Amino acid sequence: MDASESISVIGLGYVGLPVALAFSSITEVVAYDTNSARINELKAGKDHTGCLTQTLPSQLLLTNDPKALRTATFHIICVPTPIDKDNQPDLSFLESAAHTLGPMLHSGDTVVVESTVYPGVTEDIIVPILESHSGLKMGSSLRVGYSPERLSPSDTLHLFENTVKLVGANDYQTAELIAEKYRQVVLAGVHMVPSIKVAEAAKLLENTQRDVNIALVNEMAMLFHALEIDSHEVIEAAKTKWNFHPYEPGLVGGHCIGVDPYYMSAIAQRHGLNPDLVLSARSRNESMGEYVAQKTIDILSDENIPAKAANVGVFGLSFKENCPDIRNTKVVGLIQSLEAKGVKTYVADPIVNKPEFEATYNIKVLDLEQLPRLHAIVIAVAHDTFVHCSPTEYLAHLQHPNLLIDVKGHLDRDRFSDAGVRLWRL
Ligand SMILES: NC(=O)c1ccc[n+]([C@@H]2O[C@H](COP(=O)([O-])OP(=O)(O)OC[C@H]3O[C@@H](n4cnc5c(N)ncnc54)[C@H](O)[C@@H]3O)[C@@H](O)[C@H]2O)c1
C-alpha cells in the first residue's frame, strides 16, 4: 500500500476497532469516534468490548476530531444501525457519519460502508449526503463501496482476518481497488460481488436466515416439551443426516440477528411485499423469554412453590455467551416476565458492566456472594464461567426444589441429576 494512503475508520465499537487494528498493522489509520469517552478509554489501553488484545499500534491515531479524517483517502464507516421503538431502521448514526465525513473528502477518495443496512441505503441515502457536502460525484471523483462486517462478538475462531470479506462497489474498478485493500489484511480473501446492493442484501440474507432457523428450532422445542421429548436429544439424532443444520433453541437478541430481520421486513414492506415468515420468526424468537419464565413457574408450582413465594436467580445478562454486550438482550424480557408473575428475581453476571446494565434497564445486578438461597436458577446465557460450575457450586446457591433452568442446554444433565439438581433445558 502506498505510504501516503492512510485509512480512516469511523465508529470504533465491536466492528470498527478490529477493522482499525487490522489496517494499522500495514498503514496509518485515523480511528475516529464521536464518543470522547470511547477515545479516552482506548487511549488508556482499555476496551469495554474486549476486542483490544494487544498494545495500541503506533500507526493508530485515536481521535474525536473530524478534521483528522482529511488526512485519509480511504474511509470505512462502522457506526451503529439499530432499530427504533417501532422496529423500524434507525439510520441516524449512519447519516450523521456521512454528514461528518462528506466535507472532509478529496477528489478520488474511497468510502466503504460496513454497517449493516438494507439494499439501497448506501447509494440512495448515504452517497447523496457525501456528494452534497463534498461536491464530488460517485463514479467520477468519488469511489463508493459496501463491505458487510461478518464478525461475531466473543467468537474467537471467526475473526476479521480469517473471514472472507464481501465487496461490492459502484463500478468494477472501484470494487477491485477496495478488494485489494482488504486483501492486505483479510487473509481469508475477498469475494467480489457485482454491485453494492448485492453486498448489502447478502448480509441481510445471512442474518435473517439465522433468525428464521433458530425460530424454527424454538418452535419445535416448544412442541417437544409438550410431548415430553428432550429437544437436544432430537437435534443430536437429526444431526446424523447430511443436510440437517443443527441450530440450538434459545433467546435471540443483540443488535444483529435480533435487528436485521426488521431491516429486511421494512424494505420488503416498502416494496409491497408481506414478509410474514420473517416477522413471524422474529416474533417467535421474541416470545422465548416469556416461554422460559412460564416454564420455570410451572415447574416450581408443581413443587408447591407458588410464583409469589419463589426466589429465582437469573444468571447471564448479555445478548450472548462470553460477551459483555447488553444491547437488545432478551434476558431482560425473561426477568420482566418472571417479575410480572410475582416472582422475586436476583440477577447476576460477572461479565457485563454492572453500572451500565443497571442504568440501561433499571435492574439491580448482584455479585454471586450477595444472592439469597434460590428455589431456581435460570442460566439465561451460557458464559463459560456458568457452564464450568459444578453441581456442588450451584447447590450452594439453591434450596428445594434445587431447580436449574439451562436455557442453552450446555450443562451435563446426567451429572447434575446424579448430584440432586433438577435440570430443565429448552
Ligand atoms: N457487533 C457485531 O458483532 C456486528 C457484526 C456484524 C455487523 N455489525 C454491524 O456493524 C455496525 C456497527 O456495530 P457495532 O457493534 O460495532 O456498534 P458499536 O455500538 O459497538 O460501535 C459503534 C461506535 O460508533 C460510534 N459512533 C456512533 N455514531 C458515530 C458517528 N456519527 N461518527 C463516528 N462514530 C460514531 C459509537 O460511539 C460507537 O463507539 C452496525 O451496523 C452493526 O449492525 C455488528
Side-chain angles (χ1 to χ4, degrees):
M1 181 182 288
D2 181 340
S4 65
E5 273 194 306
S6 82
I7 287 181
S8 87
V9 176
I10 298 158
L12 303 174
Y14 283 88
V15 163
L17 181 63
V19 171
L21 288 171
F23 277 108
S24 67
S25 67
I26 57 161
T27 190
E28 201 162 84
V29 174
V30 176
Y32 168 76
D33 199 294
T34 42
N35 182 351
S36 52
R38 177 65 172 153
I39 296 296
N40 291 338
E41 174 191 52
L42 291 171
K43 279 185 175 166
K46 299 196 178 104
D47 170 28
H48 73 273
T49 68
C51 301
L52 186 63
T53 53
Q54 59 189 92
T55 47
L56 284 173
S58 57
Q59 299 205 91
L60 189 77
L61 173 71
L62 291 161
T63 182
N64 62 348
D65 178 2
K67 289 195 283 303
L69 298 170
R70 277 212 182 97
T71 60
T73 54
F74 190 99
H75 310 271
I76 304 174
I77 303 179
C78 305
V79 298
T81 45
I83 41 173
D84 65 17
K85 59 177 178 29
D86 301 318
N87 294 330
Q88 291 302 306
D90 172 4
L91 299 175
S92 59
F93 297 96
L94 196 51
E95 289 169 349
S96 161
H99 282 292
T100 304
L101 176 61
M104 306 300 150
L105 293 172
H106 314 271
S107 180
D109 276 9
T110 305
V111 178
V112 181
V113 177
E114 285 214 10
S115 303
T116 305
V117 294
Y118 56 78
V121 167
T122 303
E123 286 156 295
D124 302 342
I125 298 177
I126 300 309
V127 168
I129 298 174
L130 295 173
E131 288 180 338
S132 73
H133 285 291
S134 63
L136 303 175
K137 200 86 201 121
M138 180 171 76
S140 53
S141 46
L142 179 64
R143 299 186 171 105
V144 179
Y146 180 81
S147 180
E149 187 48 64
R150 302 164 115 184
L151 58 79
S152 176
S154 85
D155 184 334
T156 49
L157 289 179
H158 305 101
L159 305 172
F160 178 72
E161 291 83 354
N162 67 7
T163 303
V164 172
K165 203 84 179 89
L166 292 185
V167 168
N170 64 292
D171 57 39
Y172 182 76
Q173 210 188 357
T174 303
E176 259 301 341
L177 180 143
I178 295 171
E180 198 40 45
K181 286 277 187 285
Y182 279 113
R183 277 188 202 111
Q184 296 178 64
V185 286
V186 180
L187 307 178
V190 170
H191 177 84
M192 283 165 59
V193 299
S195 68
I196 288 175
K197 283 194 180 71
V198 168
E200 292 170 325
K203 174 70 187 176
L204 273 198
L205 175 60
E206 289 165 18
N207 282 2
T208 305
Q209 180 190 71
R210 190 162 170 75
D211 200 41
V212 171
N213 278 288
I214 299 173
L216 172 68
V217 173
N218 275 333
E219 200 154 292
M220 295 294 279
M222 291 164 79
L223 168 67
F224 298 150
H225 279 292
L227 300 175
E228 298 185 2
I229 301 170
D230 183 277
S231 45
H232 291 267
E233 289 175 355
V234 179
I235 292 166
E236 276 308 306
K239 255 161 86 170
T240 58
K241 176 145 190 241
W242 73 91
N243 60 0
F244 178 78
H245 295 277
Y247 290 89
E248 284 179 345
L251 307 174
V252 193
H255 49 98
C256 288
I257 310 294
V259 163
D260 301 347
Y262 290 123
Y263 272 64
M264 180 275 174
S265 52
I267 186 69
Q269 282 162 343
R270 279 178 222 169
H271 282 76
L273 299 169
N274 177 15
D276 51 357
L277 172 73
V278 168
L279 285 174
S280 158
R282 185 85 295 271
S283 139
R284 168 57 60 229
N285 286 339
E286 296 277 359
S287 76
M288 295 315 287
E290 165 68 22
Y291 178 75
V292 171
Q294 189 55 55
K295 279 284 164 196
T296 308
I297 287 167
D298 290 347
I299 299 169
L300 288 174
S301 149
D302 287 348
E303 299 281 353
N304 296 319
I305 300 181
K308 288 193 168 55
N311 286 339
V312 173
V314 178
F315 285 15
L317 301 170
S318 56
F319 89 90
K320 77 175 276 201
E321 55 273 13
N322 304 319
C323 170
D325 195 344
I326 58 167
R327 287 174 292 173
N328 194 25
T329 168
K330 297 301 167 194
V331 184
V332 170
L334 192 163
I335 296 167
Q336 287 166 342
S337 293
L338 287 168
E339 289 275 342
K341 294 169 203 306
V343 172
K344 179 84 188 102
T345 60
Y346 300 86
V347 315
D349 189 319
I351 291 179
V352 303
N353 179 312
K354 275 204 259 176
E356 182 197 3
F357 188 88
E358 290 175 354
T360 310
Y361 296 113
N362 196 23
I363 296 173
K364 178 106 186 97
V365 185
L366 301 172
D367 292 330
L368 292 179
E369 306 77 60
Q370 296 174 293
L371 297 170
R373 285 282 177 152
L374 303 161
H375 298 104
I377 295 172
V378 181
I379 305 170
V381 185
H383 293 323
D384 284 350
T385 172
F386 297 140
V387 174
H388 295 146
C389 268
S390 67
T392 315
E393 286 169 290
Y394 279 110
L395 283 168
H397 293 292
L398 286 166
Q399 60 178 313
H400 172 79
N402 296 328
L403 174 62
L404 262 193
I405 302 288
D406 179 16
V407 172
K408 288 304 286 285
H410 285 193
L411 299 183
D412 180 339
R413 201 179 38 168
D414 294 340
R415 181 172 168 232
F416 276 79
S417 298
D418 291 349
V421 176
R422 177 163 180 190
L423 195 139
W424 180 94
R425 58 192 189 184
L426 184 54

